[in-house]
Amino acid sequence: MYAISELAAELEISPSTIRFYEDKGLISPERSAGNQRLYSRKHKARLKLILRGKRFGFSLAEIAEMIGYADVPLHEADQIRKSLAFGREKLEEIRRKKEDLALLEADILSMQEFLEKRLQSIK
């Protein structure tokens, strides 16, 4: 079992981040007799999934749909299906952004070329 500070240090996040995920229903720690939060390896693995989802750009609501809320866990097959669906959507979003960035890059290069020619013509 981990205390919140131990788990936070191991995952390189703040204890308040863990409490925030708890408030959102994504994790539900056990409590000691003194009401201290206690986390198991399962909680640690769940936090890793949440952090990975955030790193991939998913919202907490999307992450909750993929892994389920702490009090209503999903069946593994459902988790996989939902993760695949959200992954496909995220990849499509990335592709659109890449296309938009390529167009923006072309526009900026074109404008720079125009401005450089204009600058040469007025010297």
Side-chain angles (χ1 to χ4, degrees):
M1 298 301 279
Y2 301 88
I4 193 169
S5 58
E6 295 169 328
L7 186 58
E10 202 164 309
L11 295 174
E12 299 179 343
I13 58 177
S14 68
S16 62
T17 299
I18 296 173
R19 285 190 292 272
F20 176 75
Y21 295 146
E22 181 183 350
D23 290 342
K24 295 296 181 183
L26 293 170
I27 191 164
S28 182
E30 298 171 29
R31 297 285 181 155
S32 69
N35 205 30
Q36 180 184 17
R37 291 173 174 90
L38 297 173
Y39 300 90
S40 66
R41 287 190 316 252
K42 181 180 173 185
H43 294 115
K44 180 180 172 182
R46 192 169 176 81
L47 280 167
K48 284 182 174 182
L49 287 173
I50 294 165
L51 296 171
R52 181 179 297 143
K54 291 298 293 174
R55 190 173 65 247
F56 288 164
F58 293 109
S59 70
L60 288 181
E62 291 169 329
I63 293 167
E65 279 195 56
M66 286 186 274
I67 68 172
Y69 285 97
D71 57 349
V72 185
L74 290 177
H75 184 273
E76 185 178 3
D78 292 333
Q79 282 182 313
I80 292 170
R81 284 186 201 97
K82 287 179 184 261
S83 295
L84 285 169
F86 278 111
R88 286 184 201 103
E89 289 175 21
K90 186 60 72 177
L91 284 172
E92 185 55 38
E93 179 185 323
I94 290 168
R95 288 182 185 115
R96 283 191 305 271
K97 286 180 180 180
K98 285 172 65 175
E99 290 171 5
D100 290 346
L101 287 171
L103 290 172
L104 179 60
E105 179 184 32
D107 287 347
I108 290 172
L109 289 171
S110 176
M111 179 57 70
Q112 283 184 326
E113 183 180 327
F114 169 79
L115 292 173
E116 286 175 7
K117 286 179 182 177
R118 179 67 183 135
L119 184 59
Q120 291 301 319
S121 73
I122 59 174
K123 283 187 176 180

